[in-house]
Amino acid sequence: RLSRYLAASTPQSLDQLVMQRWMNGSPGSEVLLKLRDADGRMRTVRLRRSTDYLGRPWRNCPVIQVLADQIGYVDLERLPPERVEEMFERVRHTRAIIFDLRGYPKRTAWHIAPRLTDRRHVPAARFRRPLGLFPGCRSGDIETLDAGWDFIQYLPESEGWKYRGRTVALIDERAMSQAEHAALFLRAANGTVLIGSRTAGANGDVTRFTVPGGITVGFSGQEIRHPDGTPLQRVGLIPDLEVKPTVAGIRTGRDEVLERAL
């Protein structure tokens, strides 16, 4: 029922939008849930609805960690740009870094990706923007179809020391827009392996306007692709290794995508 009123770029993104709303109601009201636990027992719980969840990050673990076997972990949803240097110093002697992109990052890819490669002039993304020059028309044996501005975005360059270990990025449908662009940067820098499930497929600057009735419409006026021209929008980033959470894993508090990355 809800999905008819939500716009999304991909089926996985639509599932995410519905999931965020399907139990919504007036703040302060209660929702009654019947839950089946790991032993198959049914119980009933009441939850008071609140808007406190808005803006709350998906995870509450330390933002920067060194896990077992000298593997670094960084939650890019919560890492601010001013902590990037601290992050690299913390994970400097690790064998690998796992970057968690299951959420919306804080524009740190521009600082992180250049520290993963010695190469310069590295293409990271391909753009196309329509140009409204004149209406398509025919003049003699020439017919104008469209006009656009195509360009390549390259990784920034850094004089800082470079991390030499392997890198992995965790992705799923929560990775949208800037998170997807961060994954493009990381993959371009050193072939960062993507593990998880398809991203939202909704990358690109957003233009918004309001129509009568108070309805806000948003759209991207540019096309973003992989450097080789492979589509990203309406597809999502396809993981190198697909891993999805299971009900059994959620019941026991496990992060199965992170486990597979390790």
Side-chain angles (χ1 to χ4, degrees), residues 20 50-59 77-78 104 106:
Q20 291 178 316
S50 170
T51 57
D52 290 345
Y53 74 93
L54 295 172
R56 183 183 299 172
W58 286 101
R59 293 164 291 278
E77 183 188 27
R78 295 180 291 151
Y104 202 83
K106 301 181 182 295

Side-chain angles (χ1 to χ4, degrees), residues 46-65:
R46 293 179 180 273
L47 297 176
R48 185 171 297 278
R49 292 185 174 97
S50 170
T51 57
D52 290 345
Y53 74 93
L54 295 172
R56 183 183 299 172
W58 286 101
R59 293 164 291 278
N60 57 11
C61 61
V63 176
I64 308 168
Q65 305 178 63

Side-chain angles (χ1 to χ4, degrees), residues 82-100:
E82 58 268 21
R83 293 191 66 187
V84 168
E85 186 61 36
E86 172 197 348
M87 178 271 292
F88 273 114
E89 290 299 328
R90 288 273 301 277
V91 301
R92 186 167 190 158
H93 302 294
T94 57
R95 298 191 301 115
I97 304 174
I98 296 173
F99 293 111
D100 205 329

Side-chain angles (χ1 to χ4, degrees), residues 84-248:
V84 168
E85 186 61 36
E86 172 197 348
M87 178 271 292
F88 273 114
E89 290 299 328
R90 288 273 301 277
V91 301
R92 186 167 190 158
H93 302 294
T94 57
R95 298 191 301 115
I97 304 174
I98 296 173
F99 293 111
D100 205 329
L101 276 172
R102 296 173 295 178
Y104 202 83
K106 301 181 182 295
R107 293 192 63 83
T108 47
W110 283 258
H111 304 279
I112 294 174
R115 301 287 296 273
L116 303 178
T117 181
D118 289 313
R119 294 176 299 141
R120 297 181 181 274
H121 208 60
V122 178
R126 182 172 175 176
F127 288 70
R128 178 178 173 82
R129 294 177 180 174
L131 298 178
L133 299 177
F134 47 82
C137 60
R138 183 163 180 167
S139 176
D141 60 352
I142 301 297
E143 182 178 6
T144 299
L145 299 179
D146 66 3
W149 177 34
D150 292 77
F151 60 94
I152 296 289
Q153 181 184 30
Y154 294 92
L155 292 182
E157 296 179 1
S158 171
E159 299 304 321
W161 60 267
K162 303 302 190 288
Y163 182 79
R164 306 295 183 183
R166 299 182 64 184
T167 55
V168 169
L170 310 183
I171 60 171
D172 63 16
E173 63 277 3
R174 290 172 287 183
M176 175 185 289
S177 190
Q178 191 190 136
E180 294 176 299
H181 216 68
L184 289 179
F185 270 44
L186 295 175
R187 178 177 267 178
N190 67 344
T192 294
V193 176
L194 305 183
I195 296 181
S197 53
R198 287 201 188 197
T199 60
N203 191 11
D205 293 341
V206 179
T207 297
R208 293 184 175 89
F209 62 95
T210 303
V211 298
I215 299 172
T216 299
V217 178
F219 67 94
S220 175
Q222 62 186 4
E223 182 178 312
I224 300 182
R225 293 173 175 263
H226 295 260
D228 64 359
T230 303
L232 190 159
Q233 293 162 317
R234 299 186 181 182
V235 177
L237 293 168
I238 301 173
D240 299 295
L241 180 62
E242 186 175 50
V243 184
K244 294 184 178 181
T246 65
V247 173

